[in-house]
Amino acid sequence: MNGCVFCGIVAGEVPAFRVVDEPDGVAFLDTRPVFKGHVLVVPRTHLVTLADLPADALAGYFGLVRRLAAAVETGLGAGGTFVAINNKVSQSVPHLHTHVVPRTKGDGLRGFFWPRTRYADDAEAREYADRIAAALQPA
């Protein structure tokens, strides 16, 4: 879709720290992560909400989300993950995307208040993306 930043990332026209690019979706680091290693997973096709995702795409898309949740834990040594989707309200980019956020006990995240952080530089962001990608199990 013209003007959609996530469609631009999928097309390779907008730079992003990609973790994986597969037929079922593309995953990349959030530029304003809740915690470092926060990944966004998007379908390749422009869809606005979860309700727009075709039934025959559910297994592939959520299979990728599941694999990324495991890779975030393994690759970053996280204690767990927080996986979430906003539909319309609080959806900063109107393209379906699933947040996979690394969690550790006592990390301070409470409820739905999502404080944001930044990577020190591109090298640090690339390191996080590479660590997650290296831990990603094949489909």
Side-chain angles (χ1 to χ4, degrees):
M1 170 147 212
N2 196 15
C4 173
V5 68
F6 289 171
C7 286
I9 290 170
V10 168
E13 299 164 354
V14 173
F17 293 99
R18 287 176 183 250
V19 174
V20 66
D21 184 340
E22 296 181 353
D24 292 311
V26 176
F28 49 91
L29 296 182
D30 191 312
T31 59
R32 292 181 47 241
V34 174
F35 299 115
K36 293 176 182 180
H38 176 168
V39 175
L40 299 178
V41 186
V42 301
R44 300 188 68 79
T45 305
H46 182 82
L47 306 167
V48 177
T49 68
L50 181 58
D52 299 325
L53 186 66
D56 63 353
L58 286 168
Y61 181 74
F62 282 105
L64 178 57
V65 170
R66 178 187 58 80
R67 290 173 40 232
L68 280 157
V72 165
E73 285 187 38
T74 301
L76 303 180
T81 57
F82 174 68
V83 178
I85 296 174
N86 288 309
N87 281 302
K88 298 178 186 172
V89 175
S90 295
Q91 189 179 12
S92 57
V93 176
H95 183 125
L96 174 62
H97 56 284
T98 305
H99 298 261
V100 180
V101 180
R103 297 292 312 272
T104 56
K105 188 173 176 74
D107 62 18
L109 188 62
R110 298 189 190 288
F112 288 98
F113 173 69
W114 294 17
R116 298 300 184 124
T117 189
R118 294 209 180 270
Y119 294 96
D121 52 31
D122 285 356
E124 183 184 38
R126 180 79 263 150
E127 177 204 349
Y128 274 82
D130 289 348
R131 287 169 57 193
I132 296 164
L136 188 65
Q137 298 296 313

